[in-house]
Amino acid sequence: MIKNVMAVVMTLAIPFFLFLTVWQTGRYAEIDSELRSLDMEQQALVNQNKRLISAITVLSVPERIERVATEELYMRKARSDEIMRIELKREGLGG
């Protein structure tokens, strides 16, 4: 009787473990594919970030800002009589 029960258990356990192994392998492949996709996306974002930082560096050069201000926005440097200075006391705001 015990041998028959053990035989049935073994007969059912072997296919179960085979199925579990196949399922685990499939899940591993799915996660590995997702990981590769996320790595590629991360690399693309890092490259885009590098390009944006480079663009910011180029756009924030003082000579370029001055050229845009004078040539495109028709601005000029303020004369000394147009400059108003405001001083605040350190003890309190506005007082």
Side-chain angles (χ1 to χ4, degrees):
M1 173 80 173
I2 293 179
K3 288 184 181 180
N4 289 339
V5 171
M6 288 299 288
V8 169
V9 168
M10 291 299 285
T11 304
L12 295 176
I14 292 173
F16 173 75
F17 286 120
L18 288 175
F19 171 76
L20 188 63
T21 302
V22 170
W23 178 78
Q24 214 172 9
T25 302
R27 182 75 178 125
Y28 173 81
E30 182 181 327
I31 291 172
D32 188 52
S33 174
E34 184 178 350
L35 179 64
R36 289 176 194 269
S37 174
L38 290 173
D39 280 341
M40 288 174 33
E41 182 180 351
Q42 180 184 19
Q43 189 61 40
L45 289 172
V46 166
N47 289 337
Q48 180 184 13
N49 193 35
K50 286 179 183 178
R51 286 191 302 273
L52 291 173
I53 289 172
S54 177
I56 289 171
T57 302
V58 168
L59 293 174
S60 63
V61 172
E63 292 82 16
R64 181 195 166 280
I65 294 173
E66 184 175 357
R67 182 183 52 78
V68 168
T70 57
E71 294 176 8
E72 295 179 21
L73 301 175
Y74 305 108
M75 298 174 81
R76 62 174 173 76
K77 291 186 179 181
R79 295 186 311 265
S80 61
D81 63 329
E82 296 174 322
I83 298 173
M84 186 183 338
R85 300 197 186 273
I86 300 173
E87 292 184 27
L88 297 177
K89 292 183 181 179
R90 290 194 178 249
E91 290 110 30
L93 294 175

